[in-house]
Amino acid sequence: MQAAPAPTRHDQATRLLHQCGATVTPARVRVLQLLLAADAAMSHQSLQQAAAASGHPFDKVTLYRVLDWLTGQGLVHSVAGHDRVRRFSLMNPHHAHAHFECSVCGRLFCLRGSLASAALELPPGFASDRVDITVHGRCAGCTAAATAPRSRGKDPGV
Amino acid sequence: MQAAPAPTRHDQATRLLHQCGATVTPARVRVLQLLLAADAAMSHQSLQQAAAASGHPFDKVTLYRVLDWLTGQGLVHSVAGHDRVRRFSLMNPHHAHAHFECSVCGRLFCLRGSLASAALELPPGFASDRVDITVHGRCAGCTAAATAPRSRGKDPGV
DNA sequence: TGAAAAAATGCAACTCGGTTGCAAAAATGC
DNA sequence: GCATTTTTGCAACCGAGTTGCATTTTTTCA
């Protein structure tokens, strides 16, 4: 997280907002910028910290509301991890995609690419609507940290 | 829920506890009984209500601790729903099984039977450990209630 | 059996993610 | 410009889950 995100990201965020025909507010742009720059899904807390680190802290409630709004607009989607914390990431074009939750650092990634179509048999009367697939395991960062413990020590704190 | 659960369930619960060689305490037995009788995963809250309804309320913390202990023993497993509430159910013999979360009433069921093996491609460095599959949709009860709205009105309040 | 150690329970206070109510500020419509 | 709507900010609140500690129960073992 740089002190000043690249102008391209600001434009990108603004464009995304214009595309869904709603007011472009600084808070929305800034949240989108942060999400555009993120390599993993971000929690409310990590977004707040990132904003605070860049000198413009979010109000807690405003951030929740912006995230709700973005989710409602379909620009962003949220996933709750095993720690019961919601994490947000840009809605990517892969309509149905799986997630990866690292059991070491807790970070959550969106997996792109071939999603296994899970053919499950449901009990009678049950109607399937959407299937969520979450892979649990160790992310690249934590695998590297485990094999080379010297380079460890950076807990993303997401 | 009956005032006194069937003795078979009490025995069943006691046997399960003996099998893992730990102290059989009334709290543990009662929690297991409730879970044995449940048709869907139960939240901490619904367990507390069920216990209170039968005249022997649980202490909040004791219940959490019993649930943690049961989970640690592998007798029970917990799943967090989209509402960030953990729900507990007996560990069933199907080692890997999928879940069904009803988007109307919020209840969570364990699906038994053929689990589609999700063949996902992970980014380099990522190691898969376990795959969680949750189907979202409408459960049998809510489907029935929707087609025959007259018979509605029972919100399980889970 | 009976005392000491360990495990389980109960209560109060607390943390933390998230929400609600309401007033101030900014944007929009005319 | 002025009225209406939307967004923002603050404070108080809610509910799931945890922690600390004292009390009770169970287990151990001399």
Side-chain angles (χ1 to χ4, degrees):
Chain A
M1 103 204 26
Q2 311 84 320
T8 4
R9 276 211 250 283
H10 183 281
D11 297 347
Q12 214 175 333
T14 312
R15 187 159 14 92
L16 281 169
L17 287 171
H18 272 132
Q19 273 168 16
C20 59
T23 354
V24 178
T25 72
R28 288 173 187 169
V29 174
R30 290 210 298 130
V31 171
L32 276 180
Q33 275 179 258
L34 289 170
L35 289 177
L36 280 165
D39 59 338
M42 294 186 80
S43 63
H44 176 274
Q45 187 188 225
S46 63
L47 282 166
Q48 253 200 159
Q49 286 174 351
S54 70
H56 296 278
F58 283 122
D59 173 71
K60 184 173 96 162
V61 180
T62 301
L63 179 48
Y64 276 119
R65 285 198 273 234
V66 166
L67 288 169
D68 281 351
W69 186 89
L70 288 171
T71 306
Q73 295 297 316
L75 289 175
V76 153
H77 80 298
S78 77
V79 199
H82 80 290
D83 56 2
R84 308 188 320 115
V85 174
R86 283 193 304 189
R87 288 178 171 75
F88 301 83
S89 65
L90 286 182
M91 185 69 96
N92 76 42
H94 306 77
H95 192 248
H97 63 277
H99 296 116
F100 184 96
E101 185 175 4
C102 178
S103 44
V104 179
C105 66
R107 283 194 296 179
L108 199 145
F109 305 84
C110 292
L111 297 177
R112 51 195 59 235
S114 63
L115 174 57
S117 57
L120 298 152
E121 44 175 87
L122 296 176
F126 282 61
S128 166
D129 184 33
R130 178 172 52 93
V131 179
D132 274 0
I133 300 188
T134 302
V135 182
H136 297 259
R138 192 173 278 205
C139 74
C142 290
T143 302
T147 49
R150 196 58 61 106
S151 70
R152 205 168 202 286
K154 186 170 181 297
D155 176 16
V158 179
Chain B
M1 154 179 339
Q2 312 84 320
T8 3
R9 276 212 252 281
H10 183 281
D11 298 348
Q12 215 175 332
T14 313
R15 185 157 16 90
L16 280 170
L17 287 171
H18 273 132
Q19 274 170 15
C20 61
T23 357
V24 177
T25 73
R28 287 172 189 172
V29 173
R30 291 209 298 130
V31 172
L32 275 180
Q33 275 179 258
L34 290 170
L35 289 178
L36 280 165
D39 60 337
M42 294 185 80
S43 64
H44 176 274
Q45 187 188 223
S46 64
L47 283 165
Q48 254 201 155
Q49 286 174 351
S54 70
H56 297 278
F58 285 121
D59 173 72
K60 183 174 99 163
V61 180
T62 302
L63 179 51
Y64 274 119
R65 284 198 273 235
V66 166
L67 288 169
D68 280 350
W69 185 88
L70 288 171
T71 306
Q73 296 296 316
L75 289 174
V76 154
H77 81 297
S78 77
V79 199
H82 79 290
D83 55 1
R84 307 189 320 119
V85 173
R86 282 193 304 189
R87 287 178 171 77
F88 300 85
S89 66
L90 287 182
M91 185 69 95
N92 76 41
H94 307 77
H95 192 249
H97 63 276
H99 295 116
F100 184 95
E101 185 175 5
C102 179
S103 44
V104 179
C105 66
R107 283 195 296 181
L108 199 145
F109 305 85
C110 293
L111 298 177
R112 48 194 62 233
S114 64
L115 174 56
S117 58
L120 298 152
E121 45 174 86
L122 297 176
F126 283 61
S128 166
D129 184 33
R130 178 171 53 91
V131 179
D132 274 359
I133 301 189
T134 301
V135 182
H136 297 259
R138 191 174 278 206
C139 75
C142 290
T143 302
T147 49
R150 195 60 58 105
S151 69
R152 203 162 205 288
K154 188 169 181 298
D155 176 18
V158 177

PDB file of all heavy atoms in Angstrom, chain A residues 78-105:
ATOM      1  N   SER A  78     -18.778 -10.136  -0.895  1.00  0.00           N
ATOM      2  CA  SER A  78     -18.201 -10.386   0.422  1.00  0.00           C
ATOM      3  C   SER A  78     -18.285 -11.871   0.756  1.00  0.00           C
ATOM      4  O   SER A  78     -19.218 -12.557   0.382  1.00  0.00           O
ATOM      5  CB  SER A  78     -18.946  -9.584   1.484  1.00  0.00           C
ATOM      6  OG  SER A  78     -20.179 -10.202   1.797  1.00  0.00           O
ATOM      7  N   VAL A  79     -17.289 -12.327   1.456  1.00  0.00           N
ATOM      8  CA  VAL A  79     -17.239 -13.712   1.899  1.00  0.00           C
ATOM      9  C   VAL A  79     -16.886 -13.703   3.378  1.00  0.00           C
ATOM     10  O   VAL A  79     -16.032 -12.941   3.816  1.00  0.00           O
ATOM     11  CB  VAL A  79     -16.140 -14.496   1.156  1.00  0.00           C
ATOM     12  CG1 VAL A  79     -16.380 -15.986   1.268  1.00  0.00           C
ATOM     13  CG2 VAL A  79     -16.042 -14.072  -0.279  1.00  0.00           C
ATOM     14  N   ALA A  80     -17.556 -14.552   4.125  1.00  0.00           N
ATOM     15  CA  ALA A  80     -17.222 -14.670   5.547  1.00  0.00           C
ATOM     16  C   ALA A  80     -16.279 -15.838   5.739  1.00  0.00           C
ATOM     17  O   ALA A  80     -16.562 -16.947   5.315  1.00  0.00           O
ATOM     18  CB  ALA A  80     -18.490 -14.875   6.373  1.00  0.00           C
ATOM     19  N   GLY A  81     -15.157 -15.586   6.341  1.00  0.00           N
ATOM     20  CA  GLY A  81     -14.172 -16.634   6.596  1.00  0.00           C
ATOM     21  C   GLY A  81     -14.514 -17.425   7.842  1.00  0.00           C
ATOM     22  O   GLY A  81     -15.541 -17.184   8.478  1.00  0.00           O
ATOM     23  N   HIS A  82     -13.657 -18.348   8.186  1.00  0.00           N
ATOM     24  CA  HIS A  82     -13.934 -19.189   9.349  1.00  0.00           C
ATOM     25  C   HIS A  82     -13.873 -18.373  10.631  1.00  0.00           C
ATOM     26  O   HIS A  82     -14.359 -18.796  11.664  1.00  0.00           O
ATOM     27  CB  HIS A  82     -12.932 -20.340   9.413  1.00  0.00           C
ATOM     28  CG  HIS A  82     -11.616 -19.931   9.992  1.00  0.00           C
ATOM     29  ND1 HIS A  82     -10.752 -19.113   9.337  1.00  0.00           N
ATOM     30  CD2 HIS A  82     -11.044 -20.186  11.197  1.00  0.00           C
ATOM     31  CE1 HIS A  82      -9.705 -18.897  10.089  1.00  0.00           C
ATOM     32  NE2 HIS A  82      -9.851 -19.519  11.221  1.00  0.00           N
ATOM     33  N   ASP A  83     -13.257 -17.225  10.574  1.00  0.00           N
ATOM     34  CA  ASP A  83     -13.172 -16.369  11.762  1.00  0.00           C
ATOM     35  C   ASP A  83     -14.373 -15.435  11.848  1.00  0.00           C
ATOM     36  O   ASP A  83     -14.378 -14.503  12.626  1.00  0.00           O
ATOM     37  CB  ASP A  83     -11.875 -15.565  11.762  1.00  0.00           C
ATOM     38  CG  ASP A  83     -11.712 -14.738  10.489  1.00  0.00           C
ATOM     39  OD1 ASP A  83     -12.620 -14.774   9.631  1.00  0.00           O
ATOM     40  OD2 ASP A  83     -10.699 -14.045  10.360  1.00  0.00           O
ATOM     41  N   ARG A  84     -15.364 -15.704  11.063  1.00  0.00           N
ATOM     42  CA  ARG A  84     -16.625 -14.979  11.066  1.00  0.00           C
ATOM     43  C   ARG A  84     -16.461 -13.524  10.646  1.00  0.00           C
ATOM     44  O   ARG A  84     -17.337 -12.709  10.907  1.00  0.00           O
ATOM     45  CB  ARG A  84     -17.304 -15.025  12.449  1.00  0.00           C
ATOM     46  CG  ARG A  84     -17.468 -16.431  13.019  1.00  0.00           C
ATOM     47  CD  ARG A  84     -18.304 -16.387  14.272  1.00  0.00           C
ATOM     48  NE  ARG A  84     -17.964 -15.235  15.076  1.00  0.00           N
ATOM     49  CZ  ARG A  84     -18.795 -14.240  15.327  1.00  0.00           C
ATOM     50  NH1 ARG A  84     -20.012 -14.263  14.896  1.00  0.00           N
ATOM     51  NH2 ARG A  84     -18.396 -13.225  16.068  1.00  0.00           N
ATOM     52  N   VAL A  85     -15.373 -13.214   9.989  1.00  0.00           N
ATOM     53  CA  VAL A  85     -15.173 -11.841   9.530  1.00  0.00           C
ATOM     54  C   VAL A  85     -15.437 -11.794   8.034  1.00  0.00           C
ATOM     55  O   VAL A  85     -14.967 -12.652   7.294  1.00  0.00           O
ATOM     56  CB  VAL A  85     -13.730 -11.379   9.825  1.00  0.00           C
ATOM     57  CG1 VAL A  85     -13.477 -10.015   9.208  1.00  0.00           C
ATOM     58  CG2 VAL A  85     -13.488 -11.350  11.318  1.00  0.00           C
ATOM     59  N   ARG A  86     -16.207 -10.796   7.627  1.00  0.00           N
ATOM     60  CA  ARG A  86     -16.469 -10.653   6.208  1.00  0.00           C
ATOM     61  C   ARG A  86     -15.269 -10.027   5.522  1.00  0.00           C
ATOM     62  O   ARG A  86     -14.669  -9.075   6.037  1.00  0.00           O
ATOM     63  CB  ARG A  86     -17.704  -9.771   5.979  1.00  0.00           C
ATOM     64  CG  ARG A  86     -18.990 -10.512   6.235  1.00  0.00           C
ATOM     65  CD  ARG A  86     -20.162  -9.748   5.700  1.00  0.00           C
ATOM     66  NE  ARG A  86     -20.206  -8.393   6.285  1.00  0.00           N
ATOM     67  CZ  ARG A  86     -21.216  -7.564   6.134  1.00  0.00           C
ATOM     68  NH1 ARG A  86     -22.255  -7.942   5.425  1.00  0.00           N
ATOM     69  NH2 ARG A  86     -21.197  -6.373   6.680  1.00  0.00           N
ATOM     70  N   ARG A  87     -14.958 -10.551   4.374  1.00  0.00           N
ATOM     71  CA  ARG A  87     -13.892  -9.956   3.581  1.00  0.00           C
ATOM     72  C   ARG A  87     -14.464  -9.602   2.218  1.00  0.00           C
ATOM     73  O   ARG A  87     -15.288 -10.320   1.687  1.00  0.00           O
ATOM     74  CB  ARG A  87     -12.717 -10.921   3.451  1.00  0.00           C
ATOM     75  CG  ARG A  87     -11.958 -11.064   4.756  1.00  0.00           C
ATOM     76  CD  ARG A  87     -10.823 -12.048   4.633  1.00  0.00           C
ATOM     77  NE  ARG A  87      -9.990 -12.020   5.826  1.00  0.00           N
ATOM     78  CZ  ARG A  87     -10.336 -12.551   6.981  1.00  0.00           C
ATOM     79  NH1 ARG A  87     -11.478 -13.165   7.100  1.00  0.00           N
ATOM     80  NH2 ARG A  87      -9.539 -12.458   8.031  1.00  0.00           N
ATOM     81  N   PHE A  88     -13.983  -8.487   1.691  1.00  0.00           N
ATOM     82  CA  PHE A  88     -14.552  -7.965   0.460  1.00  0.00           C
ATOM     83  C   PHE A  88     -13.527  -7.984  -0.661  1.00  0.00           C
ATOM     84  O   PHE A  88     -12.347  -7.710  -0.436  1.00  0.00           O
ATOM     85  CB  PHE A  88     -15.037  -6.525   0.677  1.00  0.00           C
ATOM     86  CG  PHE A  88     -16.078  -6.413   1.762  1.00  0.00           C
ATOM     87  CD1 PHE A  88     -15.711  -6.335   3.099  1.00  0.00           C
ATOM     88  CD2 PHE A  88     -17.431  -6.411   1.444  1.00  0.00           C
ATOM     89  CE1 PHE A  88     -16.672  -6.251   4.100  1.00  0.00           C
ATOM     90  CE2 PHE A  88     -18.389  -6.319   2.436  1.00  0.00           C
ATOM     91  CZ  PHE A  88     -18.010  -6.234   3.766  1.00  0.00           C
ATOM     92  N   SER A  89     -14.005  -8.269  -1.852  1.00  0.00           N
ATOM     93  CA  SER A  89     -13.119  -8.183  -3.008  1.00  0.00           C
ATOM     94  C   SER A  89     -13.943  -7.773  -4.210  1.00  0.00           C
ATOM     95  O   SER A  89     -15.165  -7.919  -4.221  1.00  0.00           O
ATOM     96  CB  SER A  89     -12.431  -9.518  -3.267  1.00  0.00           C
ATOM     97  OG  SER A  89     -13.397 -10.473  -3.628  1.00  0.00           O
ATOM     98  N   LEU A  90     -13.257  -7.255  -5.211  1.00  0.00           N
ATOM     99  CA  LEU A  90     -13.947  -6.862  -6.418  1.00  0.00           C
ATOM    100  C   LEU A  90     -14.630  -8.075  -7.013  1.00  0.00           C
ATOM    101  O   LEU A  90     -14.074  -9.164  -7.041  1.00  0.00           O
ATOM    102  CB  LEU A  90     -12.946  -6.297  -7.430  1.00  0.00           C
ATOM    103  CG  LEU A  90     -12.421  -4.906  -7.131  1.00  0.00           C
ATOM    104  CD1 LEU A  90     -11.491  -4.487  -8.248  1.00  0.00           C
ATOM    105  CD2 LEU A  90     -13.573  -3.921  -7.004  1.00  0.00           C
ATOM    106  N   MET A  91     -15.816  -7.866  -7.489  1.00  0.00           N
ATOM    107  CA  MET A  91     -16.522  -8.915  -8.203  1.00  0.00           C
ATOM    108  C   MET A  91     -15.756  -9.168  -9.479  1.00  0.00           C
ATOM    109  O   MET A  91     -15.632  -8.278 -10.317  1.00  0.00           O
ATOM    110  CB  MET A  91     -17.932  -8.424  -8.530  1.00  0.00           C
ATOM    111  CG  MET A  91     -18.786  -9.480  -9.161  1.00  0.00           C
ATOM    112  SD  MET A  91     -19.160 -10.756  -7.987  1.00  0.00           S
ATOM    113  CE  MET A  91     -20.769 -10.189  -7.417  1.00  0.00           C
ATOM    114  N   ASN A  92     -15.229 -10.343  -9.631  1.00  0.00           N
ATOM    115  CA  ASN A  92     -14.506 -10.560 -10.878  1.00  0.00           C
ATOM    116  C   ASN A  92     -15.421 -11.172 -11.939  1.00  0.00           C
ATOM    117  O   ASN A  92     -16.483 -11.690 -11.622  1.00  0.00           O
ATOM    118  CB  ASN A  92     -13.221 -11.371 -10.651  1.00  0.00           C
ATOM    119  CG  ASN A  92     -13.499 -12.836 -10.436  1.00  0.00           C
ATOM    120  OD1 ASN A  92     -14.323 -13.421 -11.121  1.00  0.00           O
ATOM    121  ND2 ASN A  92     -12.811 -13.420  -9.484  1.00  0.00           N
ATOM    122  N   PRO A  93     -15.016 -11.045 -13.182  1.00  0.00           N
ATOM    123  CA  PRO A  93     -15.898 -11.442 -14.280  1.00  0.00           C
ATOM    124  C   PRO A  93     -16.288 -12.919 -14.249  1.00  0.00           C
ATOM    125  O   PRO A  93     -17.322 -13.289 -14.770  1.00  0.00           O
ATOM    126  CB  PRO A  93     -15.065 -11.128 -15.533  1.00  0.00           C
ATOM    127  CG  PRO A  93     -13.673 -10.942 -15.055  1.00  0.00           C
ATOM    128  CD  PRO A  93     -13.760 -10.490 -13.654  1.00  0.00           C
ATOM    129  N   HIS A  94     -15.453 -13.757 -13.624  1.00  0.00           N
ATOM    130  CA  HIS A  94     -15.822 -15.168 -13.543  1.00  0.00           C
ATOM    131  C   HIS A  94     -17.040 -15.259 -12.651  1.00  0.00           C
ATOM    132  O   HIS A  94     -16.936 -15.152 -11.435  1.00  0.00           O
ATOM    133  CB  HIS A  94     -14.696 -15.996 -12.944  1.00  0.00           C
ATOM    134  CG  HIS A  94     -13.416 -15.798 -13.654  1.00  0.00           C
ATOM    135  ND1 HIS A  94     -12.638 -14.681 -13.474  1.00  0.00           N
ATOM    136  CD2 HIS A  94     -12.771 -16.553 -14.559  1.00  0.00           C
ATOM    137  CE1 HIS A  94     -11.574 -14.774 -14.245  1.00  0.00           C
ATOM    138  NE2 HIS A  94     -11.623 -15.896 -14.909  1.00  0.00           N
ATOM    139  N   HIS A  95     -18.156 -15.472 -13.259  1.00  0.00           N
ATOM    140  CA  HIS A  95     -19.395 -15.363 -12.502  1.00  0.00           C
ATOM    141  C   HIS A  95     -19.381 -16.214 -11.248  1.00  0.00           C
ATOM    142  O   HIS A  95     -19.599 -15.735 -10.149  1.00  0.00           O
ATOM    143  CB  HIS A  95     -20.582 -15.727 -13.403  1.00  0.00           C
ATOM    144  CG  HIS A  95     -21.871 -15.362 -12.789  1.00  0.00           C
ATOM    145  ND1 HIS A  95     -22.776 -16.286 -12.361  1.00  0.00           N
ATOM    146  CD2 HIS A  95     -22.374 -14.152 -12.482  1.00  0.00           C
ATOM    147  CE1 HIS A  95     -23.806 -15.666 -11.837  1.00  0.00           C
ATOM    148  NE2 HIS A  95     -23.590 -14.372 -11.906  1.00  0.00           N
ATOM    149  N   ALA A  96     -19.151 -17.486 -11.424  1.00  0.00           N
ATOM    150  CA  ALA A  96     -19.026 -18.339 -10.244  1.00  0.00           C
ATOM    151  C   ALA A  96     -17.557 -18.685 -10.055  1.00  0.00           C
ATOM    152  O   ALA A  96     -16.934 -19.234 -10.943  1.00  0.00           O
ATOM    153  CB  ALA A  96     -19.852 -19.603 -10.429  1.00  0.00           C
ATOM    154  N   HIS A  97     -17.028 -18.334  -8.919  1.00  0.00           N
ATOM    155  CA  HIS A  97     -15.626 -18.646  -8.692  1.00  0.00           C
ATOM    156  C   HIS A  97     -15.447 -19.164  -7.273  1.00  0.00           C
ATOM    157  O   HIS A  97     -16.241 -18.870  -6.389  1.00  0.00           O
ATOM    158  CB  HIS A  97     -14.744 -17.430  -8.937  1.00  0.00           C
ATOM    159  CG  HIS A  97     -15.010 -16.299  -8.005  1.00  0.00           C
ATOM    160  ND1 HIS A  97     -16.016 -15.392  -8.217  1.00  0.00           N
ATOM    161  CD2 HIS A  97     -14.426 -15.938  -6.849  1.00  0.00           C
ATOM    162  CE1 HIS A  97     -16.024 -14.520  -7.234  1.00  0.00           C
ATOM    163  NE2 HIS A  97     -15.081 -14.829  -6.381  1.00  0.00           N
ATOM    164  N   ALA A  98     -14.412 -19.919  -7.088  1.00  0.00           N
ATOM    165  CA  ALA A  98     -14.161 -20.493  -5.772  1.00  0.00           C
ATOM    166  C   ALA A  98     -13.252 -19.578  -4.963  1.00  0.00           C
ATOM    167  O   ALA A  98     -12.687 -18.615  -5.487  1.00  0.00           O
ATOM    168  CB  ALA A  98     -13.513 -21.861  -5.933  1.00  0.00           C
ATOM    169  N   HIS A  99     -13.156 -19.847  -3.677  1.00  0.00           N
ATOM    170  CA  HIS A  99     -12.294 -19.055  -2.806  1.00  0.00           C
ATOM    171  C   HIS A  99     -11.242 -19.930  -2.149  1.00  0.00           C
ATOM    172  O   HIS A  99     -11.438 -21.131  -1.990  1.00  0.00           O
ATOM    173  CB  HIS A  99     -13.128 -18.343  -1.735  1.00  0.00           C
ATOM    174  CG  HIS A  99     -14.079 -17.344  -2.299  1.00  0.00           C
ATOM    175  ND1 HIS A  99     -15.440 -17.465  -2.203  1.00  0.00           N
ATOM    176  CD2 HIS A  99     -13.841 -16.211  -3.004  1.00  0.00           C
ATOM    177  CE1 HIS A  99     -16.020 -16.452  -2.806  1.00  0.00           C
ATOM    178  NE2 HIS A  99     -15.080 -15.671  -3.311  1.00  0.00           N
ATOM    179  N   PHE A 100     -10.179 -19.278  -1.758  1.00  0.00           N
ATOM    180  CA  PHE A 100      -9.133 -19.984  -1.025  1.00  0.00           C
ATOM    181  C   PHE A 100      -8.900 -19.249   0.282  1.00  0.00           C
ATOM    182  O   PHE A 100      -8.633 -18.056   0.289  1.00  0.00           O
ATOM    183  CB  PHE A 100      -7.832 -20.022  -1.846  1.00  0.00           C
ATOM    184  CG  PHE A 100      -6.739 -20.811  -1.191  1.00  0.00           C
ATOM    185  CD1 PHE A 100      -6.527 -22.141  -1.546  1.00  0.00           C
ATOM    186  CD2 PHE A 100      -5.936 -20.247  -0.216  1.00  0.00           C
ATOM    187  CE1 PHE A 100      -5.522 -22.872  -0.933  1.00  0.00           C
ATOM    188  CE2 PHE A 100      -4.935 -20.969   0.402  1.00  0.00           C
ATOM    189  CZ  PHE A 100      -4.722 -22.290   0.036  1.00  0.00           C
ATOM    190  N   GLU A 101      -9.004 -19.976   1.369  1.00  0.00           N
ATOM    191  CA  GLU A 101      -8.769 -19.361   2.678  1.00  0.00           C
ATOM    192  C   GLU A 101      -7.539 -20.000   3.288  1.00  0.00           C
ATOM    193  O   GLU A 101      -7.510 -21.207   3.530  1.00  0.00           O
ATOM    194  CB  GLU A 101      -9.984 -19.573   3.577  1.00  0.00           C
ATOM    195  CG  GLU A 101      -9.855 -18.846   4.905  1.00  0.00           C
ATOM    196  CD  GLU A 101     -11.129 -18.973   5.743  1.00  0.00           C
ATOM    197  OE1 GLU A 101     -12.068 -19.678   5.336  1.00  0.00           O
ATOM    198  OE2 GLU A 101     -11.140 -18.371   6.835  1.00  0.00           O
ATOM    199  N   CYS A 102      -6.537 -19.177   3.571  1.00  0.00           N
ATOM    200  CA  CYS A 102      -5.298 -19.708   4.148  1.00  0.00           C
ATOM    201  C   CYS A 102      -5.514 -19.961   5.628  1.00  0.00           C
ATOM    202  O   CYS A 102      -5.906 -19.066   6.377  1.00  0.00           O
ATOM    203  CB  CYS A 102      -4.145 -18.746   3.943  1.00  0.00           C
ATOM    204  SG  CYS A 102      -2.612 -19.336   4.686  1.00  0.00           S
ATOM    205  N   SER A 103      -5.233 -21.191   6.042  1.00  0.00           N
ATOM    206  CA  SER A 103      -5.467 -21.527   7.448  1.00  0.00           C
ATOM    207  C   SER A 103      -4.332 -21.053   8.331  1.00  0.00           C
ATOM    208  O   SER A 103      -4.398 -21.177   9.552  1.00  0.00           O
ATOM    209  CB  SER A 103      -5.672 -23.035   7.602  1.00  0.00           C
ATOM    210  OG  SER A 103      -4.740 -23.745   6.845  1.00  0.00           O
ATOM    211  N   VAL A 104      -3.283 -20.489   7.737  1.00  0.00           N
ATOM    212  CA  VAL A 104      -2.189 -19.952   8.550  1.00  0.00           C
ATOM    213  C   VAL A 104      -2.398 -18.452   8.786  1.00  0.00           C
ATOM    214  O   VAL A 104      -2.532 -18.005   9.911  1.00  0.00           O
ATOM    215  CB  VAL A 104      -0.822 -20.197   7.885  1.00  0.00           C
ATOM    216  CG1 VAL A 104       0.292 -19.617   8.729  1.00  0.00           C
ATOM    217  CG2 VAL A 104      -0.607 -21.688   7.658  1.00  0.00           C
ATOM    218  N   CYS A 105      -2.468 -17.693   7.711  1.00  0.00           N
ATOM    219  CA  CYS A 105      -2.553 -16.239   7.880  1.00  0.00           C
ATOM    220  C   CYS A 105      -3.991 -15.745   7.802  1.00  0.00           C
ATOM    221  O   CYS A 105      -4.271 -14.600   8.123  1.00  0.00           O
ATOM    222  CB  CYS A 105      -1.704 -15.525   6.831  1.00  0.00           C
ATOM    223  SG  CYS A 105      -2.293 -15.735   5.142  1.00  0.00           S
TER     224      CYS A 105
END
